[in-house]
Amino acid sequence: SDGGKLLVVPMVGSHWLSMQEVVEKLSERGHEVVVLVPEVSWQMATTQAYKVVTYPVSQTLEELDNPF
């Protein structure tokens, strides 16, 4: 991206695990990265490499876990 600013809206779970390293590398290269994550999620660890913005969701962690 020539603009140097990225908004990342990852899917919960393995999609984020695959993307997290790429997002961190982009941040290291000088890109300003904002990651938008739900308040309730699995394995959406944060780091100082990018800014995290959460948004409210109607489900609880228990409801997210039930199908599994």
Side-chain angles (χ1 to χ4, degrees):
S1 169
D2 289 334
K5 295 183 180 186
L6 300 164
L7 175 63
V8 179
V9 186
M11 299 296 293
V12 176
S14 63
H15 299 289
W16 174 243
L17 295 175
S18 301
M19 287 180 60
Q20 187 174 10
E21 187 175 343
V22 172
V23 170
E24 289 174 359
K25 290 291 182 188
L26 287 168
S27 179
E28 288 174 14
R29 293 180 181 178
H31 295 278
E32 181 182 335
V33 181
V34 175
V35 179
L36 186 62
V37 299
E39 288 177 331
V40 176
S41 63
W42 295 314
Q43 300 177 0
M44 299 288 286
T46 62
T47 178
Q48 296 295 336
Y50 48 83
K51 180 178 179 182
V52 174
V53 175
T54 60
Y55 61 91
V57 293
S58 60
Q59 66 193 48
T60 64
L61 187 56
E62 183 178 285
E63 292 170 329
L64 190 64
D65 288 340
N66 279 342
F68 296 96

